[in-house]
């Protein structure tokens, strides 16, 4: 009997370990998934050098060109742009640049008239850090993207040197507004005013530069408190934040399919998630799919801010869809588990979210019923079905409110082949949440809230959606 019990225990343990191993083996390798869609730029034509690549922190946007700075491409986000002091792309070649979306770092290697350069740049919450390595003297310029002169500030302590680390304040005045930027650097560097720009001459070895925009001229106390840590400290912090995002968000793995369309779908998903994590949320409707990928609080905050303008929100049928996405996100088991919410608290939160949007949903539905013939949906909103939104609103906040799929989506090939922009990025994420791909595809999905009920998804898949 004892031997029999031991055999049973051994069997159960082996079975458990086998099930755990199988479950672990089926988990998505998120790092590999994201990195197989990293942009890798090797073409050295003038057009490629001037193309923009997004670095962002969710609060700050810094668009770089292929040199890893703003050498050839002006950025409307930064009136004072920062780049290498090259007048044009002539003599710039042997480009090998990559944007690593997993760590948030842009790493560019190239030659300029035979001189080798490596530029590594990351974007943090409030600042940008870059490390530039070259085998001889080079220059960094602070210039205006609008043509106005850039100067070192006259009333602030322009330069402060502590060992080899220095600080500087620069400004640009366009006639209506003064833009300020504070720069910190470490290395053997001298500063000069060159026509309408400020130029740093870097005399050897790697030079690390940290710079940030300011809303006003910094006080002496603020200037004194600015501390520039080594570049690697910033890079590690940024990489940690990005890896946390990728590990927390919903993800779908299409790699088991040989169809080029499947790879394109996965690539568009990564690009879309990277875009929405990089830029500040300003549009509650276009950012709504984030609620389905594990971040309902971000969308709720954007909608709550916009709802102060009742005319803007309460007359838009999209608000019903957003409220439903937020409700689904907060009620999803993964979000509950991730946020360490206990069962009773989760039920209370779900009821609270339903009640929080009840009046808004009712008001939007009333306007939709009264103005249905005059409602004009365009862009991303054009894929909504007003009659299904009304069905959701009429049943709000009961369980029956969430049985309708209120999107009428085009074929997946049309969705995933669209050029990247906020509307198409949102449409891509909604399509994947709706499991809107050909039924024969094998796709692994983790932590993505379905936009349709499971039964409806199965019905859509059974008829070969997208074929």
């Amino acid at each position: 009997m004892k031997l029999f019990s031991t055999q049973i225990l051994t069997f159960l343990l082996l079975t458990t370990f086998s099930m755990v191993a199988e479950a672990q083996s089926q988990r998505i390798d998120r790092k590999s998934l994201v990195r197989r869609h990293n942009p890798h730029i090797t073409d050295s034509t003038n057009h490629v050098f001037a193309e923009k690549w997004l670095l962002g922190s969710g609060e700050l946007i810094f668009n770089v060109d292929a040199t890893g700075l703003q050498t050839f491409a002006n950025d409307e986000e930064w009136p004072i742009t920062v780049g290498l002091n090259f007048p044009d792309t002539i003599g710039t070649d042997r480009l090998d640049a990559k944007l690593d979306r997993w760590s948030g770092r842009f790493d560019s290697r190239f030659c300029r008239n035979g001189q080798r350069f490596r530029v590594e740049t990351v974007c943090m919450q409030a600042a940008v850090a870059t490390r530039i390595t070259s085998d001889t003297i080079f220059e960094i310029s602070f210039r205006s993207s609008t043509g106005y002169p850039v100067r070192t500030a006259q009333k602030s302590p322009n330069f402060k040197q502590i060992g080899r680390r220095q600080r500087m304040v620069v400004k640009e005045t366009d006639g209506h507004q003064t833009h300020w930027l504070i720069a910190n650097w470490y290395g053997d560097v001298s500063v000069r005013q060159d026509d309408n720009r400020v130029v740093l001459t870097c005399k050897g070895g790697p030079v690390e530069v940290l710079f940030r925009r300011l809303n006003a001229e910094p006080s002496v106390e603020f200037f004194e408190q600015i501390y520039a840590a080594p570049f690697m400290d910033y890079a590690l912090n940024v990489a940690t934040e990005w890896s946390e995002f990728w590990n927390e968000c919903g993800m779908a793995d299409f790699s088991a399919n040989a169809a080029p369309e499947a790879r394109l779908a996965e690539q568009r998903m990564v690009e879309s998630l990277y875009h929405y994590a990089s830029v500040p949320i300003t549009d509650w409707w276009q950012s709504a799919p984030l609620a389905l990928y594990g971040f309902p609080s971000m969308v709720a905050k954007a909608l709550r801010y916009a709802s102060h303008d009742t005319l803007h929100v309460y007359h838009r049928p999209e608000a019903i869809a957003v409220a439903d996405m937020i409700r689904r996100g907060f009620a999803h088991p993964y979000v509950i588990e991730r946020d360490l919410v206990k069962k009773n608290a989760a039920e209370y939160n779900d009821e609270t979210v339903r009640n929080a949007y009840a009046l808004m949903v009712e008001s939007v539905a009333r306007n939709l019923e009264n103005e249905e013939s005059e409602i004009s949906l365009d862009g991303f909103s054009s894929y909504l079905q007003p009659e299904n939104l009304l069905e959701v609103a009429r049943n709000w906040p009961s369980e029956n409110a969430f049985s309708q799929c209120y999107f009428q989506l085009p074929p997946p090939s049309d969705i995933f082949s669209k050029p990247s922009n906020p509307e198409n990025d949102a449409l891509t994420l909604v399509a994947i949440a709706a499991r809107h791909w050909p039924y024969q595809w094998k796709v692994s999905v983790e932590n993505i809230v379905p936009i349709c009920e499971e039964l409806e998804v199965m019905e859509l898949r059974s008829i070969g959606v997208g074929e």
Side-chain angles (χ1 to χ4, degrees):
M1 186 67 179
K2 183 177 181 181
L3 176 61
F4 180 74
S5 299
T6 303
Q7 289 175 337
I8 292 293
L9 179 60
T10 303
F11 172 77
L12 291 174
L13 287 174
L14 289 175
T15 303
T16 302
F17 289 147
S18 176
M19 292 173 62
V20 171
E22 182 180 0
Q24 290 176 342
S25 67
Q26 291 177 348
R27 288 185 61 83
I28 294 174
D29 184 349
R30 291 165 173 260
K31 183 184 291 187
S32 297
L33 189 157
V34 172
R35 281 185 163 164
R36 62 176 169 255
H37 300 292
N38 280 341
H40 190 189
I41 313 135
T42 56
D43 188 348
S44 297
T45 60
N46 291 350
H47 170 73
V48 170
F49 263 108
E51 189 173 350
K52 293 181 181 179
W53 303 91
L54 172 64
L55 290 178
S57 64
E59 299 178 12
L60 188 70
I61 299 175
F62 188 70
N63 290 303
V64 302
D65 59 32
T67 66
L69 290 170
Q70 299 168 339
T71 305
F72 302 117
N74 288 337
D75 186 0
E76 60 277 4
E77 297 284 341
W78 286 70
I80 301 175
T81 62
V82 185
L84 294 165
N85 196 23
F86 300 158
D88 50 47
T89 61
I90 297 173
T92 310
D93 55 17
R94 297 172 62 184
L95 175 65
D96 184 2
K98 180 179 289 186
L99 170 58
D100 183 10
R101 292 194 173 107
W102 180 265
S103 64
R105 185 191 303 198
F106 195 94
D107 190 346
S108 176
R109 304 166 194 249
F110 57 92
C111 287
R112 172 81 174 185
N113 298 326
Q115 180 181 352
R116 292 175 296 179
F117 286 86
R118 181 182 182 184
V119 182
E120 304 161 86
T121 306
V122 297
C123 184
M124 297 161 292
Q125 292 184 350
V128 176
T130 186
R131 177 170 62 187
I132 306 170
T133 307
S134 185
D135 48 16
T136 187
I137 296 173
F138 62 94
E139 294 182 334
I140 304 170
S141 70
F142 297 80
R143 68 186 190 280
S144 170
S145 60
T146 56
Y148 291 93
V150 172
R151 298 279 187 261
T152 57
Q154 299 300 313
K155 295 181 181 180
S156 291
N158 295 340
F159 307 101
K160 184 174 181 64
Q161 183 167 350
I162 306 175
R164 298 178 67 204
R165 189 173 296 283
Q166 303 172 64
R167 304 168 188 169
M168 173 185 68
V169 180
V170 296
K171 68 174 182 178
E172 178 238 51
T173 303
D174 60 14
H176 302 283
Q177 183 179 1
T178 299
H179 305 281
W180 301 87
L181 184 147
I182 188 166
N184 306 259
W185 63 87
Y186 182 83
D188 190 0
V189 175
S190 62
V191 183
R192 76 173 189 273
Q193 187 79 51
D194 182 10
D195 296 330
N196 290 335
R197 65 185 67 195
V198 176
V199 178
L200 308 183
T201 301
C202 310
K203 300 176 183 178
V207 173
E208 301 177 2
V209 184
L210 171 76
F211 47 94
R212 67 190 71 190
R213 293 181 303 182
L214 302 173
N215 295 325
E217 180 181 10
S219 65
V220 174
E221 292 77 13
F222 178 86
F223 190 86
E224 293 287 346
Q225 291 172 2
I226 294 297
Y227 173 73
F231 171 81
M232 282 308 301
D233 284 6
Y234 292 114
L236 287 173
N237 288 336
V238 171
T240 299
E241 291 177 359
W242 271 107
S243 64
E244 287 176 354
F245 166 76
W246 290 118
N247 281 313
E248 288 184 356
C249 71
M251 194 71 73
D253 187 344
F254 292 78
S255 61
N257 307 284
E261 295 82 2
R263 177 179 173 83
L264 184 59
E266 187 181 272
Q267 176 182 337
R268 286 297 309 279
M269 176 194 66
V270 171
E271 292 175 348
S272 301
L273 289 171
Y274 176 80
H275 170 82
Y276 280 113
S278 297
V279 303
I281 292 181
T282 56
D283 190 311
W284 53 270
W285 171 230
Q286 289 181 355
S287 64
L290 284 178
L292 306 175
Y293 286 76
F295 305 101
S297 58
M298 296 172 62
V299 183
K301 181 179 179 181
L303 181 59
R304 185 164 58 249
Y305 180 80
S307 63
H308 293 299
D309 182 359
T310 55
L311 185 65
H312 175 67
V313 174
Y314 285 38
H315 287 74
R316 290 182 60 177
E318 300 96 313
I320 299 175
V322 175
D324 178 61
M325 291 186 199
I326 293 171
R327 205 287 313 179
R328 289 173 184 264
F330 276 117
H332 193 254
Y334 164 68
V335 176
I336 293 172
E337 180 182 2
R338 184 196 65 193
D339 295 343
L340 301 177
V341 179
K342 295 182 179 180
K343 182 180 179 181
N344 292 340
E347 294 175 354
Y348 175 78
N349 289 347
D350 186 36
E351 182 179 356
T352 300
V353 171
R354 294 169 190 260
N355 293 336
Y357 294 108
L359 292 177
M360 183 190 74
V361 168
E362 180 184 358
S363 177
V364 174
R366 187 164 54 249
N367 289 325
L368 181 57
E369 287 178 314
N370 295 338
E371 306 171 7
E372 190 169 0
S373 60
E374 302 176 9
I375 291 290
S376 176
L377 298 174
D378 55 7
F380 175 39
S381 303
S382 65
Y383 301 105
L384 286 170
Q385 296 179 292
E387 61 276 12
N388 284 3
L389 289 176
L390 280 174
E391 187 66 24
V392 171
R394 287 166 184 151
N395 289 293
W396 191 282
S398 70
E399 287 289 348
N400 296 330
F402 313 112
S403 61
Q404 288 285 351
C405 187
Y406 38 79
F407 279 97
Q408 182 65 47
L409 299 172
S413 56
D414 292 350
I415 295 175
F416 301 137
S417 62
K418 287 178 176 291
S420 180
N421 61 47
E423 289 185 357
N424 293 339
D425 289 347
L427 181 61
T428 295
L429 297 181
V430 164
I432 292 175
R435 278 57 169 174
H436 191 66
W437 54 73
Y439 75 97
Q440 68 270 24
W441 283 10
K442 297 179 180 179
V443 183
S444 299
V445 178
E446 284 183 2
N447 307 331
I448 300 179
V449 183
I451 195 64
C452 304
E453 293 301 314
E454 293 298 332
L455 180 61
E456 190 169 1
V457 170
M458 291 173 63
E459 291 174 351
L460 288 172
R461 298 286 299 283
S462 68
I463 62 174
V465 62
E467 291 191 309

